[in-house]
């Protein structure tokens, strides 16, 4: 089977990737830990001296404060104000911490107050004898439900639409838990109450701004509409979006947008899509694979359909790299941001594109032409079980590894440890290949993910 490995000189006058942006990865952890300290100081001043005498209740109170603080942080993360690489890691880790602290708060507080009564009796006393505790239990149940549905093994078995709408209950659950925190906690008084109101007020303001106000402003200014629909493969479609003053809409190759297509069936939900081509000042292009009800419906979206755009988001961009040389790895529909990024990458960039068969390769002609014009090396890795059969080979007929293992990557891409690596594909493959890249000598800070699926 013939596959094309295309290389060529870099054309004069084409854009080069800029220097990597200055790192601010220290800033957000500093703010996070500073906020946690501020949340705990009132407890330390008012109740800390009683901890030794009643450690169960003290532990329950500290856990409750930390749970409330982390819930507010999660809401801020959900507004997508942070770099998405940090967001994907923090959101996942903090979700587990919220669940743990809530459990400790409920169990330790109930046991500590029981004083010889049964736990069931004490729970009923809480529910009927303390204001806002019933609301807190309901809010906690909603937050726990959201946490459970975010576990990868469970999430994979759910329709995206179901998962999306369930997550909207995070706001209701948070409101109920917040009322409990503010109204009955003896540690949150005076200036401490001002801190908590400001914290949750900030989270709410950011959510409203990023999810409602700014998209409405963008829609008013640009009037986004579907301008063209192109069938790339039987189950992959590119959607072109045009509008007014498109040069003023700042978005970079590799970033993604949350798009809401205002059709009868799709207006109520937004989905993330990466750009599949660098913006040209006239229109944007996203490419969609039919994986669920929503994406199948978009295969036939009508030209002229209005689109609400939220974003752009993401640091999966050329400006994030620190090294001169680049490796990009794509699998399946993960080729979309890689295809856009290739327009800005330096000569000598290597692109590995894994697909099940040659018929499932998306943008074949565009990728070949870009590889020639950008001076890149492009290798297609096809599964031997694909309908076109055969072991994966490159243009010169050399065998390439069936799996993207550390030894295989090192053979295929000499000097891989000195490259920035951009990786996009199905989550399981991304996690597996990330581990192999580390084994091959690539540093974590040089591995860039497109994380919107997280």
């Amino acid at each position: 089977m013939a596959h094309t490995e295309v290389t060529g000189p870099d054309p004069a006058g084409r854009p080069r990737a800029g220097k990597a942006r200055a790192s601010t990865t220290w800033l957000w952890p500093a703010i996070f830990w500073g906020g946690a300290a501020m949340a705990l100081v009132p407890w330390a001043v008012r109740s800390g001296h009683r901890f030794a005498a009643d450690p169960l209740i003290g532990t329950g109170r500290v856990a409750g404060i930390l749970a409330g603080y982390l819930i507010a942080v999660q809401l801020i993360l959900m507004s997508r104000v942070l770099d998405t690489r940090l967001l994907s890691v923090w959101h996942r880790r903090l979700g587990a911490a919220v669940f743990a602290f809530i459990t400790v708060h409920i169990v330790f507080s109930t046991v500590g107050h029981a004083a010889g009564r049964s736990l069931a009796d004490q729970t009923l006393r809480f529910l009927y004898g303390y204001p806002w505790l019933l609301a807190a239990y309901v809010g906690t149940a909603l937050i726990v439900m959201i946490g459970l549905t975010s576990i990868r093994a469970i999430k994979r078995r759910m329709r995206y639409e179901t998962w999306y709408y369930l997550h909207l209950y995070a706001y209701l659950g948070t409101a109920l838990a917040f009322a409990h925190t503010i109204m009955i906690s003896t540690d949150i008084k005076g200036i401490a109450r001002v801190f908590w109101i400001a914290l949750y007020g900030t989270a709410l303001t950011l959510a409203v701004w990023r999810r409602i106000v700014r998209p409405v402003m963008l829609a008013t200014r640009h009037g986004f509409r579907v301008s063209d629909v192109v069938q790339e493969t039987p189950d992959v479609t590119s959607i072109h979006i045009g509008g007014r003053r498109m040069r003023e809409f700042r978005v970079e190759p590799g970033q993604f947008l949350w798009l809401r297509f205002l059709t009868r069936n799709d207006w109520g939900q937004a989905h993330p899509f990466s750009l599949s081509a660098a913006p040209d000042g006239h229109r944007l292009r996203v490419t969609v694979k039919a994986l669920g009800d929503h994406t199948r419906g978009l295969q036939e979206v009508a030209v002229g359909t209005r689109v609400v755009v939220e974003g752009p988001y993401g640091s999966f961009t050329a400006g994030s790299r620190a090294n001169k040389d680049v490796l990009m790895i794509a699998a399946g529909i993960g080729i979309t941001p890689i295809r856009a990024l290739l327009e800005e990458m330096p000569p000598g960039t290597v692109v590995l594109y894994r697909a099940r068969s040659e018929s499932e390769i998306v943008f074949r002609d565009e990728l070949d032409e870009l590889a020639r014009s950008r001076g890149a090396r492009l290798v297609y890795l096809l599964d031997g079980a694909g309908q076109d059969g055969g072991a994966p080979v490159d243009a010169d007929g050399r065998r390439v590894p069936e799996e993207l293992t550390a030894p295989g990557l090192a053979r295929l891409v000499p000097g891989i440890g000195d490259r920035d690596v951009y990786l996009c594909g199905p989550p399981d493959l991304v996690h597996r290949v990330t581990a192999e890249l580390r084994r091959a000598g690539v540093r974590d800070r040089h591995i860039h993910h497109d994380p919107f699926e997280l």
Side-chain angles (χ1 to χ4, degrees), residues 5 324-327 348-352 377 379 394 398 400-401 405-421 437 440-442:
E5 177 179 323
K324 175 183 176 182
D325 296 322
V326 176
L327 165 65
T349 293
V350 178
V351 181
L352 307 181
R377 180 186 175 211
V379 180
D394 64 16
R398 299 192 302 262
V400 295
T405 61
L409 287 165
R411 288 195 303 270
L412 199 59
V413 188
I416 189 173
D418 297 323
R419 292 176 180 263
D420 275 78
V421 181
L437 288 167
V442 182

Side-chain angles (χ1 to χ4, degrees), residues 113-397:
H113 283 89
R117 289 185 291 270
S118 70
L119 297 183
D121 183 36
Q122 183 58 45
T123 299
L124 290 175
R125 285 175 177 265
F126 277 154
L127 291 175
Y128 292 105
Y130 288 76
W132 296 102
L133 265 182
L134 178 58
Y137 273 94
V138 174
T140 298
L142 291 173
I143 292 169
V144 170
M145 175 193 69
I146 292 165
L148 292 175
T149 58
S150 294
I151 297 173
R152 284 198 181 97
I154 297 176
K155 183 180 176 181
R156 278 199 297 264
R157 289 170 171 79
M158 298 178 66
R159 293 171 63 246
Y160 177 86
E161 292 79 8
T162 302
W163 179 88
Y164 175 82
Y165 286 119
L166 283 176
H167 263 60
L168 294 181
Y169 282 102
Y171 295 103
L172 175 59
T174 299
L176 295 173
F178 174 71
H180 152 67
T181 301
I182 291 295
M183 297 304 297
I184 72 171
S185 175
T186 58
D187 296 319
I188 301 178
K189 302 292 183 181
I191 191 66
R193 177 171 290 189
V194 173
F195 168 79
W196 283 88
I197 292 174
L199 179 64
Y200 275 82
T202 298
L204 177 62
T205 300
L206 289 173
V208 171
W209 169 257
R210 297 302 292 263
R211 290 176 172 257
I212 300 175
V213 176
R214 191 167 186 273
V216 170
M217 292 172 61
L218 289 175
T220 302
R221 182 173 185 81
H222 297 288
F224 297 111
R225 290 179 181 269
V226 174
S227 61
D228 196 11
V229 180
V230 177
Q231 198 76 28
E232 305 287 356
T233 70
D235 61 348
V236 175
T237 301
S238 287
I239 300 173
H240 298 258
I241 299 171
R244 303 182 296 271
R245 301 169 178 165
M246 293 297 289
R247 291 188 182 277
E248 298 175 13
F249 182 68
R250 302 299 182 184
V251 56
E252 299 180 55
Q255 291 188 303
F256 66 92
L257 306 167
W258 282 76
L259 302 179
R260 188 184 304 270
F261 294 87
L262 301 185
T263 65
R264 183 176 61 182
N265 295 325
D266 298 318
W267 67 270
Q269 55 187 301
H271 288 244
F273 297 106
S274 292
L275 295 184
S276 60
D280 60 5
H282 301 287
R283 59 184 182 177
L284 309 171
R285 186 181 77 174
V286 298
T287 301
V288 181
K289 184 171 184 177
L291 297 172
D293 294 344
H294 179 76
T295 48
R296 275 192 292 271
L298 291 181
Q299 306 293 303
E300 299 178 357
V301 66
V303 172
T305 298
R306 290 184 179 273
V307 186
V308 176
V309 175
E310 183 187 340
Y313 298 112
S315 58
F316 193 70
T317 60
S320 297
R321 67 184 179 89
N323 293 309
K324 175 183 176 182
D325 296 322
V326 176
L327 165 65
M328 298 198 291
I329 303 173
I333 199 61
I335 191 60
T336 54
I338 298 297
R339 153 61 185 91
L341 274 170
L342 187 54
E343 298 189 46
E344 292 200 341
M345 287 302 176
T349 293
V350 178
V351 181
L352 307 181
Y353 180 8
R354 186 172 181 83
R356 281 194 294 246
S357 66
E358 192 164 359
S359 63
E360 294 194 9
I361 294 175
V362 185
F363 308 130
R364 178 64 181 265
D365 293 340
E366 293 183 22
L367 289 168
D368 290 348
E369 178 56 34
L370 277 171
R372 293 188 186 95
S373 63
R374 299 297 299 165
R377 180 186 175 211
L378 174 61
V379 180
Y380 298 102
L381 307 178
L382 304 184
D383 288 344
Q387 67 182 49
D388 295 315
V393 296
D394 64 16
D396 295 332

Side-chain angles (χ1 to χ4, degrees), residues 422-444:
Y422 290 76
L423 174 60
C424 187
D428 289 343
L429 181 139
V430 167
H431 295 305
R432 187 169 68 248
V433 174
T434 297
E436 296 296 331
L437 288 167
R438 294 186 184 118
R439 288 181 54 210
V442 182
R443 298 180 180 181
D444 279 343

Side-chain angles (χ1 to χ4, degrees), residues 26-40 66 69-70 73 90 94:
W26 61 270
L27 177 61
W28 295 114
I31 294 174
F32 171 80
W33 290 112
M38 291 178 65
L40 287 173
L66 290 175
Y69 174 70
L70 294 183
V73 172
W90 282 39
L94 293 186

